[in-house]
C-alpha cells in the first residue's frame, strides 16, 4: 500500500520518514525546491512531484496532507473526489462546516485526522487506566502545552496547539464538552492569539482546562487527570505516565490529603507518529474507520470553534455543537 505525501516541511518531513520506514511512501509532492531536495535525501528513489493534480491523477490510492491548515478542506475534498483515502494533519479544517462537508462527502473513502496523542503509547495506557476505573471517578483534567515557538501566522495558538489536548481529554472523559470558555491575548501579531486558557464543562460534571502558549521560557507538555481514588500525570516531554495513589478523605469531618510517591507505569517505547502512520495503513487495508476518523475530527473542531467564539467575545461561555449535519445535500 503506497501513500502520496503532500508537504515536506516542518512536520511533513516526520511523516515522510515514518511512511518511508514502513515501506509505504509512494511519492512526495511539494512545490518548494528546498523541500524537494530534503525529500530526495530522506527517501532516495521515491518520485518527487511539484503538482498536486499530478498526484491526484496517479494510481497511488491514498494521500497524507501535511500542509497549512487553511488548505486542508480544499485539498482533502479534491483527494476524496479523486477516489483517494485521506490522512489530514490536525485540525481537519478551520471551520466546523468545512469539516462536516468532508465527512458528509467521504463516501466509502477512509478519512483520518492526525490527532497524534491518541496513538501515543503513554496516552493509550492513560485512557485504559481511566476506563478501567483505576483512578476512580474522573473529576478534573488539565493540560499545559507550552514552549517558545514555533509561532504561526495563519492560525493562532488555540488552533495550533490545543487540538491535541482536546482530542485526548475527550477520549479520557468519554464524551464531548457541552460548553467552553476561552481567554487569551495576542502579543506578536494582531488578532493571532499567542496564549490561551480554555475551560471545558462536560455533561456528567467533569471539568477541564487547557493552557497553551508559544511564548514560554521552556517546553512543557503535561496532562493531569484527577480522580476520586488516584491521580495520573502524562509528561509529553519524557513520554512517561505516573500514577499517584493519593486523594482527599474525610476524617472526623475534616478533609485530609492522603499522599504517596508516584509510580511510573510501564508503557511501550513505540514512536507515536509511527503508530499513527500504521493506523492509517491498517484502516486502508481493513476498510475499518480509524480511531481518529472524520467524526472524531468534527468533535475536536466543534470544541475549537466554540472556544474561538468565546475567545473573540472576551471569554463568554459558548455551547458546543454536539450533533453534526451529515445529511447529503
Amino acid at each position: 500500500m503506497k501513500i502520496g505525501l503532500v508537504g515536506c516541511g516542518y512536520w511533513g518531513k516526520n511523516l515522510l520518514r515514518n511512511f518511508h520506514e514502513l515501506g509505504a511512501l509512494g511519492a512526495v509532492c511539494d512545490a518548494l525546491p528546498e523541500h524537494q531536495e530534503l525529500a530526495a535525501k530522506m527517501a532516495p528513489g521515491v518520485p518527487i512531484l511539484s503538482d498536486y493534480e499530478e498526484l491526484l491523477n496517479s494510481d497511488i490510492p491514498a494521500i497524507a496532507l501535511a500542509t497549512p491548515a487553511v488548505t486542508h478542506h480544499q485539498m482533502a475534498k479534491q483527494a476524496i473526489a479523486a477516489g483517494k483515502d485521506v490522512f489530514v494533519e490536525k485540525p481537519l479544517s478551520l471551520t466546523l462546516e468545512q469539516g462536516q462537508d468532508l465527512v458528509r462527502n467521504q463516501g466509502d473513502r477512509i478519512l483520518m485526522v492526525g490527532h497524534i496523542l491518541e496513538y501515543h503509547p503513554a496516552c493509550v495506557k492513560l485512557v485504559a487506566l481511566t476506563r478501567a476505573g483505576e483512578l476512580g471517578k474522573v473529576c478534573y483534567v488539565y493540560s499545559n502545552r507550552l514552549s517558545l515557538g514555533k509561532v504561526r501566522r495563519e492560525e493562532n495558538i488555540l488552533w495550533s496547539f490545543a487540538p491535541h489536548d482536546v482530542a485526548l481529554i475527550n477520549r479520557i472523559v468519554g464524551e464531548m464538552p457541552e460548553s467552553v470558555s476561552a481567554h487569551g491575548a495576542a502579543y506578536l501579531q494582531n488578532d493571532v492569539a499567542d496564549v490561551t486558557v480554555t475551560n471545558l464543562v462536560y455533561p456528567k460534571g467533569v471539568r477541564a482546562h487547557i493552557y497553551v502558549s508559544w511564548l514560554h521560557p521552556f517546553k512543557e507538555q503535561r496532562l493531569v487527570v484527577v480522580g476520586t481514588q488516584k491521580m495520573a500525570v502524562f509528561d509529553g516531554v519524557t513520554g512517561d505516565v505516573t500514577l499517584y495513589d493519593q486523594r482527599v478523605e474525610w476524617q472526623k469531618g475534616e478533609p485530609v490529603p492522603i499522599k504517596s510517591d508516584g509510580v511510573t507505569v510501564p508503557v511501550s517505547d513505540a514512536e507515536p507518529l509511527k503508530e499513527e502512520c500504521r493506523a492509517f495503513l491498517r484502516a486502508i487495508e481493513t476498510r475499518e474507520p480509524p480511531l481518529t476518523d472524520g467524526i472524531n475530527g468534527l468533535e475536536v473542531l466543534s470544541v475549537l470553534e466554540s472556544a474561538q467564539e468565546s475567545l473573540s467575545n472576551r471569554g463568554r461561555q459558548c455551547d458546543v455543537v454536539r450533533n453534526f449535519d451529515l445529511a447529503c445535500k
Side-chain angles (χ1 to χ4, degrees):
M1 185 61 63
K2 296 297 183 180
I3 306 297
L5 173 66
V6 186
C8 187
Y10 175 74
W11 187 250
K13 66 179 183 291
N14 298 317
L15 285 168
L16 184 153
R17 174 179 58 81
N18 277 281
F19 279 125
H20 186 52
E21 289 175 354
L22 291 169
L25 189 63
V28 177
C29 181
D30 197 305
L32 295 178
E34 59 269 31
H35 290 176
Q36 294 178 4
E37 183 178 345
L38 176 63
K41 289 180 179 178
M42 293 181 66
V46 173
I48 309 296
L49 310 176
S50 59
D51 185 357
Y52 186 47
E53 289 292 335
E54 185 178 355
L55 181 59
L56 292 178
N57 292 327
S58 74
D59 59 1
I60 292 176
I63 286 177
L65 296 175
T67 57
V70 69
T71 70
H72 288 179
H73 172 249
Q74 183 60 33
M75 296 184 77
K77 190 170 184 176
Q78 289 176 283
I80 290 170
K84 313 292 188 184
D85 295 319
V86 185
F87 170 93
V88 186
E89 260 308 331
K90 60 80 188 166
L92 176 59
S93 64
L94 287 182
T95 71
L96 181 59
E97 180 49 47
Q98 289 178 345
Q100 289 177 130
D101 179 54
L102 291 177
V103 176
R104 190 185 298 130
N105 293 289
Q106 75 178 86
D108 61 356
R109 296 296 89 199
I110 295 295
L111 177 60
M112 177 172 165
V113 189
H115 296 154
I116 190 172
L117 287 188
E118 299 247 39
Y119 300 95
H120 195 303
C123 296
V124 172
K125 174 64 75 172
L126 180 58
V127 171
L129 288 171
T130 58
R131 295 287 176 86
E134 184 71 24
L135 280 63
K137 181 181 177 182
V138 174
C139 301
Y140 194 87
V141 186
Y142 75 81
S143 176
N144 292 345
R145 184 170 297 275
L146 316 166
S147 69
L148 182 60
K150 176 178 186 279
V151 177
R152 297 187 180 274
R153 304 191 68 177
E154 68 276 1
E155 61 192 72
N156 64 24
I157 188 67
L158 175 71
W159 288 84
S160 183
F161 277 22
H164 297 297
D165 304 288
V166 172
L168 181 56
I169 294 173
N170 282 357
R171 186 73 63 185
I172 289 170
V173 177
E175 59 182 353
M176 290 179 64
E178 58 186 4
S179 65
V180 300
S181 59
H183 296 264
Y187 300 104
L188 301 179
Q189 306 167 79
N190 290 335
D191 300 323
V192 179
D194 304 298
V195 179
T196 63
V197 178
T198 303
N199 294 287
L200 305 93
V201 179
Y202 288 84
K204 295 178 183 177
V206 177
R207 290 179 178 257
H209 81 251
I210 300 169
Y211 170 32
V212 290
S213 172
W214 51 39
L215 294 179
H216 198 74
F218 56 88
K219 186 174 183 178
E220 179 182 348
Q221 297 175 1
R222 183 168 299 182
L223 184 139
V224 178
V225 184
V226 177
T228 54
Q229 297 300 318
K230 296 180 182 179
M231 304 178 188
V233 178
F234 163 61
D235 188 325
V237 176
T238 65
D240 293 332
V241 172
T242 305
L243 195 60
Y244 293 85
D245 186 6
Q246 51 190 37
R247 58 203 172 274
V248 175
E249 292 183 352
W250 288 87
Q251 298 177 9
K252 298 180 180 179
E254 296 292 331
V256 178
I258 306 300
K259 299 182 179 181
S260 73
D261 293 332
V263 176
T264 301
V265 179
V267 298
S268 164
D269 61 357
E271 182 182 352
L273 186 56
K274 188 165 266 91
E275 293 302 294
E276 185 177 62
C277 292
R278 282 197 180 102
F280 183 47
L281 296 174
R282 186 165 53 248
I284 294 171
E285 185 70 26
T286 65
R287 310 313 298 170
E288 292 292 326
L291 182 68
T292 57
D293 61 4
I295 296 297
N296 177 258
L298 292 183
E299 290 173 347
V300 173
L301 265 182
S302 183
V303 176
L304 292 173
E305 194 165 89
S306 296
Q308 181 62 54
E309 180 183 353
S310 175
L311 186 64
S312 300
N313 288 277
R314 299 184 178 183
R316 186 186 71 194
Q317 186 161 314
C318 296
D319 293 336
V320 176
V321 174
R322 292 157 54 86
N323 297 306
F324 305 121
D325 177 12
L326 302 180
C328 293
K329 297 181 179 179

